[in-house]
């Protein structure tokens, strides 16, 4: 027996439902794979904490370096201001003006870099916090793929 032929609209609806089922199944398999990878990578909380520290260490070093450079530029600026005192009431030489401009632009760039490093540290912490919450449930016996993903406030690299 052959059933009735579907209309174009019915066929479209059936195809869309099939695509949704396939997308859900793919997402479920991806979640299982993601959870299994987490469990393999981090068998315990200590391993996860070590990975977090390793990821943060690089950013902390970069942040410290940028802050040191910013402090160096501030000292340089004070030296330039002391030198500019000699020209009080007169126009500053072009060379000194250029050094002031360079110092200002370099300082702004370093401040931006410091902000970016701090934001990256926060982003990394958020990723590891989300992972840890998920891992604690998995370590407690939750089946891989059974925990819904939290919708991150910003793009943290997790599938949604």
């Amino acid at each position: 027996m052959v059933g009735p032929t579907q209309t174009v609209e019915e066929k479209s609806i059936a195809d869309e439902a099939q695509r949704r089922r396939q997308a859900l199944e793919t997402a479920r398999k991806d979640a299982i794979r993601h959870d299994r990878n987490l469990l393999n990578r981090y068998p315990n909380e200590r391993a996860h904490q070590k990975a977090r520290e390793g990821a943060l260490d690089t950013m902390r070093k970069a942040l410290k370096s940028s802050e040191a450079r910013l402090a160096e530029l501030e000292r340089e600026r004070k030296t330039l201001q002391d030198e500019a005192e000699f020209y009080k009431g007169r126009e500053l030489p072009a060379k000194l003006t250029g050094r002031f401009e360079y110092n200002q632009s370099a300082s702004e760039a370093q401040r931006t870099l410091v902000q970016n490093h701090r934001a990256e540290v926060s982003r990394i912490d958020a990723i590891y916090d989300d992972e840890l919450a998920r891992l604690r449930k998995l370590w407690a016996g939750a089946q891989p793929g059974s925990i819904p993903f939290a919708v991150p406030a910003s793009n943290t690299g997790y599938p949604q």
Side-chain angles (χ1 to χ4, degrees), residues 32-111:
I32 290 170
R33 185 172 29 258
H34 179 266
D35 288 349
R36 285 183 181 155
N37 286 340
L38 278 177
L39 286 169
N40 286 332
R41 194 176 319 134
Y42 308 117
N44 55 46
E45 196 163 337
R46 193 178 83 223
H48 188 263
Q49 184 61 30
K50 183 177 178 183
R52 177 194 297 251
E53 289 304 318
L56 288 172
D57 189 49
T58 302
M59 289 311 308
R60 287 178 181 147
K61 285 178 182 175
L63 178 60
K64 187 175 180 179
S65 173
S66 293
E67 287 172 339
R69 175 67 177 137
L70 194 55
E72 179 183 319
L73 287 166
E74 179 62 26
R75 286 189 300 276
E76 217 174 273
R77 187 181 62 76
K78 287 180 182 177
T79 302
L80 291 171
Q81 286 174 331
D82 290 344
E83 191 175 330
E85 283 294 316
F86 179 75
Y87 296 98
K88 195 166 189 139
R90 295 182 287 163
E91 189 175 328
L92 294 177
K95 184 176 180 180
L96 186 56
T97 303
R99 288 173 50 202
F100 264 115
E101 289 172 359
Y102 169 78
N103 183 277
Q104 182 179 349
S105 64
S107 294
E108 287 174 17
Q110 285 301 314
R111 279 191 282 281

